[in-house]
Amino acid sequence: MGTSSDGDLLAAVAAGDEAALRELYDRHAPWLLARLGSRCADPDVVDQAVQDTFLAVWRRPDAWRGEGAVAAWLWGIAIRRLLDQFGRTRRVPWGRVDVEPSAEEGVLSRIEHGDLGTVLDRLSPELQAVVRATVLDGLTAREAGRLLGLPLGTVKTRQMRAMRQMREALT
Amino acid sequence: MTWHLDPTLVGPYVRGELTGQAAASVDAHLPTCADCRAAVAAATGPDRLAAIWSGVAAGIRAGEAVPSAAARATSPFAPLRRFELGVATLAVAMLVGSVARVATGPSATTPVVAAPASEEPTATPEPVATEPEDPTPTATEPEPTATPTGDAVVAPTPTEPPTPAGTVVAASTVIEAFDGCTSLESHLRTSALDRVTAWGLPGGSGGPAVAADPASDGSDAPAAGPPAPTAPDSAPDASDTNVQEAGVDEPDIVETDGTHAFVVAGSTLRVLAVADGAPRSVGELELGQWDSSLLLVDDRLLVLSPSWGDEPAPDQTAPAADGDGDVAASSPSPSGQPATVLRLVDVSDPTRPTVVDRADVDGWLVSARSVDGIARIVVRAVPSRLPFVYPDGQRTEDEALAHNREVVAASTIEQWVPLVRRGSQDTAPAATCEQTVTPSAFAGFGSLSVLTVDVRADLADLRATTVLTEGETVYASRSTLYVATSRWWDEVGEPVEDFHTDLHAFDIAAPGAARYLASGSVPGHLLNQFSMSEHAGHLRVATTEGAPWADGTISGVHVLARQGDVLATVGSVGGLGQDERIFAVRFLGDVGYVVTFRQVDPLYTLDLRDPTAPRVVGELKIPGYSAYLHPAGPGALLGLGQDATEDGQVTGTQMSLFDVTDLAAPRQQSKVTFPDASSEAEWDHHAFLYWQPAGLVLVPLTTWSDQHWTGVVAVAMSDGQLREAGRIAHPEDPGSDWQPPIRRSFVVGEAVFTVSDLGVQANDLRTLESRGYVPFAG
């Protein structure tokens, strides 16, 4: 089992193989926990999101259409399960912040592929949070707002500010 | 992409100690590096992993142990064995097939049959709408000759809904009422006993949890928007609220009657005199909550504030009012649980705004509307008073499950539905059991309530109507209020294949309680409140089908009519913007405008005169896109959005004037651009002001280039041309040398007032010279 690809494991899960799910879990739960943990300070909420993620995989293994990395697909499920938790138990991981227009994601991703690291470090924490949510986590502005506990307008404002500062830093 | 995870970073990353560049680099790298993931795994505590896995395993077995027929029927995605997959898939395919006759082909995986724009719809809609009944006409659209169309009022005979073919997920939208609390309570208990686990209800942890729709959320402003300044008809030389529908007010951070302006800044309500052309601070009221919004009716303000039960309420010690409940079953707003605070504030003496009544309602504020002084407040809630436990050192899994089943079995209605607490007194369900309805296919334990407040009276009776479902986007005509919810997940939290949007309609024509009318469903998801519009008894809904994060999206417009308690699709047109998403929608009378965008902006014009045969009649492709569309007189449409390069890279705010005299040949008559800038009005229409008497458009603007600037830009519109007329900026805040963005504009007499989070300024309407600035103190 240790040498099966993630895709093979998903096929086995689809056939009702719980051991295959366990193998997937062993491979992916740890990094999902770690990565979600940097987005939410409450470990209980993170644990629940990871648990929900693998239950969702069990119930809908066929939702992965064989395109792209299974890891990225799992992240997409996990981060939204985390958001799902916020919907019911409101926990604000980073305190309150401000916003972004979706078409500007292009600008951000360009910057990302440049010299994201050093530029990101110069942003204030609340701006970093918005950039991580929208660029790295692949969330829409609205979802980012849920993650950060911010109104949509605030997310957009912060995204604008982040873009401006990143541009300045790059020039 | 040759960066590799530095082994020394693994421990700090797992412990959450990395920030900035380092954390982002690891984030981005993990999905593509199996070795790095293994390194993270080795650094993760095995106990924690084992505990979570036990939850997964329990969930698997719980799912298998409770294959209740109901769950299976309502959720084709409940735990499936291999051999069952074929059945579920077939069922879905049959649904799609039945829909394709009426609508465009609704399926996320195989997007709509792309009808080439400007052709007839692909399918001939069956004229099921034999009786387009509109109980209460008055579908007043802002601009075009909007005579309330007095269609004959057909009695809503709920005889068998005439071929609800257009309702994709008809099963989930058929509604049942309860004849009393006994049947409601029994329904909830039975539904929950089927689903409760050792960890509570599915999808949630510890306390109350509901397989809620993650796409809906309480802090979700855009749909229903917080903001909307308001000027009652009394002051003809003062600007009116920019709202979607004439005569339907929307809550906003600024309201004005032409004499005074009421502004929410931080957690404070501020009152300013504005009649004499310069702002003057006259009064204030501390609210205690942030992010409040206002509705003004005569000398009364209805203040809507989100609360999380964590600020000390004046009367937190009020005893639980409802019966039994062995635990703290009914504290009014459990700490940490969302609530909505309603306050009626008397502003007849503007120097002393006074709270005359207050009620706290469980749940998130979705939005509100006000018509003729009657406000309708839409809140979403999940049960928060069920004392569930979970397995821990004290309890085994079996014991926890047994306990939780007992909790459900002994539960009372007050533990399930949203409660209202007024002042320090009684806590009671917001809606009576008879005013509560449920989709006949289980849709989760969450609830959507429409509360009614006569702003001129008090909060003694909120007369709620509750549907046991979710709610996300609110739209209202003067007579009907619609709540839409995009469905990405089904009620047990599984992703659905056919992303769709459920719609619920409430009759608000009479001043009494909102009355539940009907439900329906359309494929795809909505952009915002402007995606819905009622006209001549029909609801038009613009949606984008497919997953917004992937290719294959396509947009269309659906026309729905109420048939009994079903909102049935009677006509559809699809094929708008292959692989694009909707960026703006505006329905004006019989005409619809839809902007889709990916690289260029097609502005589609739609002829909606025949509800059963809506059609695309024109298309205009220009670089960039409009995010907000505003009527600007006969044959004229203003668009505010972003300019873009040929490959879709946005370059800054653009305002366009479209000539739509000939719907078949819309053209961009004039445009002004503001490089490297964006405007709050692109995503919140309350920030947009078109002041027709002066031919001025005022919008906030913030640049992100090196020359940082923030303020309001005034654009003059004359002879079919747009040109920048001037700009307004507020003084820098001396304390922080920060210049706050301006968020709202309104006109009183010959003065333009602009509002930021830090102050209010007046400028001369003609010269735009400053007439004075009042900072918000403290």
Side-chain angles (χ1 to χ4, degrees), chain B residues 33-280:
Chain B
C33 174
D35 289 344
C36 308
R37 294 197 294 267
V40 170
T44 306
D47 291 348
R48 185 181 185 194
L49 286 169
I52 300 170
W53 173 258
S54 75
V56 176
I60 291 172
R61 274 174 279 287
E64 287 179 339
V66 194
S68 77
R72 200 52 71 79
T74 58
S75 165
F77 309 123
L80 288 176
R81 304 267 176 95
R82 187 67 169 171
F83 64 90
E84 291 168 327
L85 271 177
V87 178
T89 308
L90 179 62
V92 171
M94 287 167 59
L95 277 174
V96 170
S98 72
V99 166
R101 287 182 293 123
V102 166
T104 52
S107 155
T109 49
T110 50
V112 173
V113 188
S118 78
E119 278 195 25
E120 293 294 326
T122 52
T124 314
E126 295 174 357
V128 282
T130 47
E131 35 167 5
E133 33 184 290
D134 178 14
T136 41
T138 49
T140 45
E141 294 285 348
E143 274 298 314
T145 57
T147 44
T149 48
D151 284 1
V153 178
V154 179
T157 43
T159 50
E160 66 263 51
T163 49
T167 51
V168 181
V169 281
S172 75
T173 57
V174 175
I175 292 281
E176 291 172 359
F178 295 98
D179 55 11
C181 292
T182 309
S183 63
L184 174 56
E185 214 168 74
S186 155
H187 164 82
L188 288 164
R189 281 189 202 146
T190 308
S191 304
L193 278 175
D194 280 351
R195 295 170 174 85
V196 72
T197 71
W199 286 264
L201 288 168
S205 58
V210 151
D213 181 343
S216 49
D217 86 274
S219 61
D220 197 52
T230 289
D233 19 35
S234 53
D237 61 344
S239 65
D240 209 342
T241 306
N242 183 29
V243 294
Q244 182 177 1
E245 295 282 1
V248 183
D249 198 11
E250 304 168 11
D252 191 19
I253 55 172
V254 177
E255 289 274 71
T256 178
D257 58 9
T259 304
H260 292 91
F262 306 93
V263 177
V264 173
S267 61
T268 308
L269 168 68
R270 298 184 182 275
V271 186
L272 298 112
V274 294
D276 46 6
R280 193 161 41 85

Side-chain angles (χ1 to χ4, degrees), chain A residues 97-102 104 108 126-127 130 134 141-142 144-145 148 150-163, chain B residues 678 680 683 743:
Chain A
V97 195
D98 296 316
V99 195
E100 151 289 349
S102 57
E104 290 170 9
L108 287 167
E126 73 270 16
L127 295 188
V130 167
T134 54
R142 186 184 287 205
L148 303 176
L150 300 174
L152 179 64
T154 306
V155 174
K156 297 198 173 192
T157 302
R158 290 193 186 175
Q159 207 165 342
M160 269 162 41
R161 279 164 54 202
M163 262 194 313
Chain B
S678 63
E680 180 168 358
W683 56 83
R743 305 193 58 197

